[in-house]
Amino acid sequence: MQVLRCLPKQEILNLNVSLGRGGEACIYAVPSQSNLVAKVYHKPTAAHAYKLQAMLVNPPENPTANLGHISIAWPQDVLRAVDGSDRIVGFLMPRIRGMRPIIDFYNPRTRRQHCPLFNYQYLLRTARNLAAAFAALHSSGYCIGDVNESNILVSDTALVTLVDTDSFQVLDPDTHAVYRCPVGKPEFTPPELQNKIFSQHDREVTHDLFGLGVLIFQLLMEGTHPFSGIFQGAGEPPAYESRIASGHFTYSQRRKVPYLPTPIAPAWEILHPSLQELFLRCFEDGHNDPHVRPSAQTWMLAIAEAEESLITCSVNPQHSYNEHLHSCPWCERTKRLGGRDPFPSHRAIAAKEHLKPRIPARNRYNQPSQRPQPVAPLATHFWQPTHSKKAPFPNPLKNRKWYPVGLCVLGFGLLGYLDVMVKLTSPVVSQNAYTQQSLMSNQNIKNKNLSFDDYYKQGHAAYKVRDYGRAIENFNQALEKEPKHAKAHVNRGNARYNMKDYEGALSDYTAALQLNPRELKALVNRGNVRYMLADYSNDPDREYTLAIADFNNALRLNNQEVEAYIRRGVVRAQIAKYSGDSQQDYQQAIYDFTKAIDINPSQPEAYFQRGIVHSQIAQYSNDYSREYNKAIADFNEALRINPKQGKVYLKRGMIHYELSQYGSQNSEVNRSKAIDDLQTSAKVSLEQEDMDNYQQALSSLCIVVENKCDALFQSSNVLDSAETK
């Protein structure tokens, strides 16, 4: 695709590398300028053009400019068509790297996985930087409108960036035209806009301030939504929209609401008194009078006050809390969660304890008296830490005396589900180089008189039942007996790989190849590890090149090695996303998958991966229908071989959805097929405890059927609530 860039001089940009595609536009890498991306609309309109031009002449102030950080990813230049019409078809904006969605930081599970040193002080500073970005936008006359967690990115140094800025509500200061934000997420929508059609209403700053209050509450309360809680009324618990519309703030101090705080949520008292007062103003007083909601500047001042009053726990220096508390709330919370520390210590992280399953609580005991140590106050609003590696509602029932017992049972039940979900999800969610830790078994082999064969067989047995920590321990013992056994290194590397310890796996595969350069599986698996490490490398191209070299060497040893073809094809497909000649790289990937199928036609993974490539080619092909149909044919074949593959149903379903969006005569048929596939994907993934694809299927289903998937979510409420923690 070619577009015309106007500033600083006119030039034609060839946009060949797609970085993502949404319902309204596609994002492309900009050749020769890695710090920019291009957003090109599928169907550009005059409203798009006028809105972008109004944004360009009135950019908001960047509150973190002195740090060289972009707090608001604002359009920088318009892009025009090259057909001579001079139509505005898109715009250039900054490319944001090295940041994650805000939910990964306020969700304690993902925070432990991706950035375990991100403590409560970091969360406060994130909230402060978020409020600063809101304040900058509001002072320039803008409203975000669609406030939600997916449009906010956070770095591991607590810096914040707002993205998707062209969806904001924009007021043209010259014409006074208002370009509205037509969408919104109910959980962040104020009561006065609930059940309204957003495209028919001008957004106001007070509306944004409700969403800002929700986000700050979630940041400081371990992901808890301010309107979540245990319903004490009759019938089914109302949805968030109804709770917000009714003003049922769970922690209300001035009115009675039919909810009790969730047992595993942090206590209201952990919040600094100034912050407590602002939350009451936002969600309680602001229900009837939106103009009393705290402004972004007011939040900044209160958060600064809370930061200055932080003290440090004498037991765990990572535990920071406000001085109005008499003991460390995080130590108490760690006990309540069966040893799962929301802010693990440096020692625990070094020992990889923060990723171990929680230990069941036995005897509860009182917290010993601790001598708080003051935290050094921070002078600047935008702090970058140095260690950056990467009154209940009256019960309508008569037997009220049983409610404390019931709540305790419910709390422990939720903790039980939490324990299960941590065990189910921990093998698949760690994707950050800093937290590639192992869940090591506490059971050590005590009998030192076993032979190499005994330890080797025990390692195999543990690996088969996916007890990878135990398998590593057994292979350690085996290698103490015979340190030059190449296959033992390969097997220990496989266990480490499954534990997301990619560096350890790389070391084992390399050791095996030093002992036996013809160790085929070591070459294939090392190539796969290098592919995984590319995500965390400062030089991913180097890792991809080394991975392909390993696969090439494996195929020189055995040109019938199916796995080497499949994995090399995966790497080539990944390279194609960022390549200057993506078509050639995609065709090489297709060659590899086809070769694997020729050797072994019953290999479903080869069909699945080839289908993925066809679907990627379709995104910028003139004959998208042909490529999508090729992808569907491959997914059909993969499911014929193995019908229990949630990921294949998921991808096929989304392709049917894409086809339904193009308005052909088969649109309704494709939409129906998309719903069927996504429902099947959710069902199969849940049965197989594949929570990643399960959540993706549910999210995709809600896109396709537009909030009509309540039945599916109701069946997964308990699992989802446990997963959040």
Side-chain angles (χ1 to χ4, degrees):
M1 172 182 290
Q2 290 188 330
V3 293
L4 178 65
R5 179 184 184 180
C6 299
L7 296 174
K9 64 179 181 179
Q10 284 197 354
E11 63 174 319
I12 292 178
L13 300 179
N14 292 299
L15 305 179
N16 298 314
V17 181
S18 173
L19 302 177
R21 182 185 180 93
E24 188 181 38
C26 191
I27 306 295
Y28 295 92
V30 176
S32 75
Q33 286 199 265
S34 60
N35 62 330
L36 294 176
V37 295
K39 184 170 183 176
V40 180
Y41 295 110
H42 302 318
K43 298 178 180 179
T45 65
H48 285 136
Y50 293 140
K51 183 176 184 178
L52 288 171
Q53 289 173 322
M55 296 175 73
L56 286 169
V57 298
N58 182 31
E61 180 185 354
N62 177 13
T64 51
N66 63 318
L67 297 175
H69 173 75
I70 297 171
S71 287
I72 306 167
W74 204 251
Q76 296 192 353
D77 188 16
V78 294
L79 298 173
R80 299 181 183 271
V82 295
D83 58 6
S85 65
D86 204 36
R87 290 180 305 125
I88 292 177
V89 296
F91 61 95
L92 294 176
M93 61 182 177
R95 186 170 187 173
I96 307 301
R97 301 175 185 267
M99 303 184 76
R100 306 183 65 86
I102 193 172
I103 190 173
D104 283 358
F105 294 89
Y106 67 63
N107 182 319
R109 178 178 60 80
T110 52
R111 184 176 66 239
R112 284 193 304 272
Q113 300 286 346
H114 300 301
C115 198
L117 292 175
F118 206 92
N119 61 23
Y120 194 68
Q121 189 174 18
Y122 287 55
L123 292 171
L124 280 165
R125 185 51 58 97
T126 302
R128 196 169 171 182
N129 290 343
L130 177 63
F134 272 65
L137 282 168
H138 292 164
S139 66
S140 295
Y142 295 106
C143 288
I144 294 174
D146 183 21
V147 176
N148 70 76
E149 77 288 354
S150 64
N151 293 339
I152 301 166
L153 304 179
V154 178
S155 74
D156 59 2
T157 57
L159 293 170
V160 169
T161 298
L162 305 183
V163 297
D164 197 21
T165 57
D166 61 314
S167 71
F168 294 177
Q169 177 176 283
V170 173
L171 170 66
D172 189 323
D174 295 328
T175 66
H176 301 290
V178 176
Y179 301 98
R180 292 171 175 160
C181 175
V183 293
K185 195 167 183 178
E187 298 95 310
F188 299 89
T189 299
E192 61 270 24
L193 287 183
Q194 289 290 342
N195 302 313
K196 296 290 195 307
I197 299 174
F198 297 126
S199 60
Q200 298 177 359
H201 293 269
D202 289 350
R203 303 295 180 93
E204 298 179 7
V205 167
T206 56
H207 300 155
D208 278 3
L209 294 176
F210 180 90
L212 175 61
V214 173
L215 287 165
I216 294 175
F217 193 91
Q218 290 181 305
L219 276 167
L220 305 183
M221 292 287 281
E222 296 283 85
T224 303
H225 192 280
F227 289 80
S228 66
I230 302 171
F231 183 50
Q232 298 291 286
E236 291 293 322
Y240 278 126
E241 302 96 293
S242 298
R243 302 180 188 201
I244 292 171
S246 301
H248 288 164
F249 175 45
T250 303
Y251 300 85
S252 176
Q253 306 294 301
R254 299 163 189 157
R255 60 182 299 199
K256 296 177 180 179
V257 298
Y259 298 93
L260 291 175
T262 305
I264 57 175
W268 165 256
E269 290 74 22
I270 72 163
L271 296 168
H272 187 276
S274 295
L275 295 175
Q276 293 180 25
E277 179 61 30
L278 291 191
F279 285 125
L280 293 174
R281 280 176 54 188
C282 185
F283 303 127
E284 200 161 35
D285 301 338
H287 178 72
N288 295 319
D289 184 2
H291 292 92
V292 303
R293 290 175 189 148
S295 68
Q297 293 92 336
T298 301
W299 279 112
M300 291 172 62
L301 292 172
I303 296 167
E305 182 184 353
E307 281 191 84
E308 290 170 1
S309 77
L310 284 176
I311 55 178
T312 301
C313 172
S314 61
V315 175
N316 179 357
Q318 280 290 95
H319 289 182
S320 299
Y321 60 97
N322 291 118
E323 60 187 359
H324 72 285
L325 300 171
H326 300 296
S327 61
C328 176
W330 307 118
C331 286
E332 175 61 25
R333 182 163 175 77
T334 300
K335 289 188 293 179
R336 288 184 62 207
L337 296 178
R340 174 65 76 196
D341 195 332
F343 304 112
S345 66
H346 291 78
R347 181 202 59 77
I349 294 169
K352 305 175 184 178
E353 294 174 359
H354 67 299
L355 295 179
K356 292 180 181 179
R358 75 176 189 90
I359 48 177
R362 294 183 179 178
N363 298 321
R364 297 188 58 84
Y365 54 91
N366 294 327
Q367 171 106 359
S369 176
Q370 299 172 5
R371 186 166 177 263
Q373 301 170 358
V375 171
L378 302 169
T380 176
H381 287 294
F382 310 103
W383 167 55
Q384 297 190 78
T386 55
H387 47 277
S388 59
K389 169 80 176 172
K390 304 204 149 183
F393 190 79
N395 193 334
L397 302 180
K398 294 181 179 179
N399 296 328
R400 297 181 188 175
K401 64 180 181 179
W402 293 106
Y403 260 72
V405 177
L407 284 175
C408 287
V409 171
L410 177 60
F412 284 114
L414 286 171
L415 289 176
Y417 273 111
L418 169 64
D419 192 18
V420 170
M421 291 310 300
V422 168
K423 292 177 181 176
L424 292 180
T425 58
S426 56
V428 297
V429 294
S430 181
Q431 298 293 327
N432 181 281
Y434 186 80
T435 57
Q436 289 162 7
Q437 314 278 1
S438 298
L439 300 176
M440 301 299 294
S441 172
N442 290 326
Q443 300 178 5
N444 295 317
I445 303 300
K446 296 180 179 180
N447 188 349
K448 300 297 183 181
N449 297 321
L450 297 179
S451 67
F452 167 84
D453 287 339
D454 293 328
Y455 286 121
Y456 193 77
K457 291 176 181 178
Q458 288 179 0
H460 266 298
Y463 187 88
K464 286 182 179 179
V465 297
R466 300 183 181 181
D467 187 353
Y468 301 121
R470 182 67 175 272
I472 292 170
E473 185 63 33
N474 281 307
F475 289 129
N476 287 345
Q477 299 289 346
L479 286 166
E480 284 186 11
K481 300 286 184 181
E482 292 188 25
K484 295 186 177 181
H485 196 282
K487 290 192 180 298
H489 280 287
V490 173
N491 289 327
R492 187 173 67 179
N494 294 342
R496 285 175 163 174
Y497 177 87
N498 280 283
M499 302 287 285
K500 306 296 187 289
D501 179 10
Y502 299 129
E503 294 287 357
L506 181 66
S507 175
D508 266 331
Y509 297 141
T510 300
L513 289 167
Q514 289 172 345
L515 294 167
N516 180 9
R518 299 183 65 82
E519 189 61 57
L520 186 64
K521 292 300 181 184
L523 279 169
V524 175
N525 294 351
R526 188 173 71 174
N528 201 37
V529 164
R530 282 173 164 158
Y531 166 70
M532 299 301 293
L533 286 173
D535 280 346
Y536 318 117
S537 172
N538 292 325
D539 188 3
D541 289 340
R542 176 179 178 275
E543 297 296 339
Y544 291 143
T545 300
L546 290 172
I548 288 179
D550 277 339
F551 298 135
N552 290 343
N553 288 331
L555 290 169
R556 290 190 188 98
L557 292 175
N558 180 3
N559 63 4
Q560 301 294 298
E561 179 59 34
V562 169
E563 187 66 18
Y565 283 114
I566 293 175
R567 302 318 304 174
R568 188 174 69 178
V570 169
V571 176
R572 283 173 165 173
Q574 181 68 16
I575 292 173
K577 295 178 182 179
Y578 311 100
S579 168
D581 192 358
S582 59
Q583 284 297 324
Q584 179 180 345
D585 290 317
Y586 277 135
Q587 291 305 319
Q588 288 181 334
I590 288 175
Y591 166 83
D592 278 338
F593 300 135
T594 303
K595 187 70 175 178
I597 291 168
D598 291 341
I599 297 170
N600 182 2
S602 62
Q603 177 58 259
E605 185 67 14
Y607 288 105
F608 172 70
Q609 295 293 347
R610 191 171 69 178
I612 293 292
V613 172
H614 281 303
S615 69
Q616 290 167 338
I617 293 174
Q619 293 183 7
Y620 50 85
S621 170
N622 292 327
D623 193 357
Y624 66 87
S625 180
R626 181 170 66 94
E627 293 296 335
Y628 275 144
N629 285 324
K630 286 182 180 180
I632 290 173
D634 277 336
F635 294 148
N636 290 344
E637 192 62 24
L639 291 170
R640 183 192 65 80
I641 298 168
N642 178 8
K644 292 292 186 180
Q645 297 184 87
K647 65 180 182 180
V648 184
Y649 288 110
L650 174 63
K651 294 296 184 183
R652 190 176 70 178
M654 290 313 295
I655 287 177
H656 280 304
Y657 174 64
E658 286 283 335
L659 288 170
S660 74
Q661 295 298 101
Y662 286 99
S664 68
Q665 60 182 0
N666 294 323
S667 289
E668 283 304 313
V669 173
N670 278 312
R671 185 173 178 276
S672 178
K673 288 180 178 180
I675 293 172
D676 289 343
D677 273 345
L678 294 173
Q679 288 177 331
T680 304
S681 175
K683 180 177 180 294
V684 170
S685 299
L686 186 58
E687 289 172 351
Q688 297 176 347
E689 300 173 352
D690 180 356
M691 303 311 297
D692 188 36
N693 279 308
Y694 172 66
Q695 295 288 349
Q696 286 189 47
L698 288 182
S699 298
S700 300
L701 189 59
C702 280
I703 294 172
V704 175
V705 300
E706 299 177 351
N707 299 327
K708 295 178 183 177
C709 51
D710 294 343
L712 263 176
F713 277 113
Q714 287 170 3
S715 67
S716 62
N717 276 345
V718 175
L719 290 176
D720 288 346
S721 63
E723 175 78 354
T724 300
K725 297 300 178 185

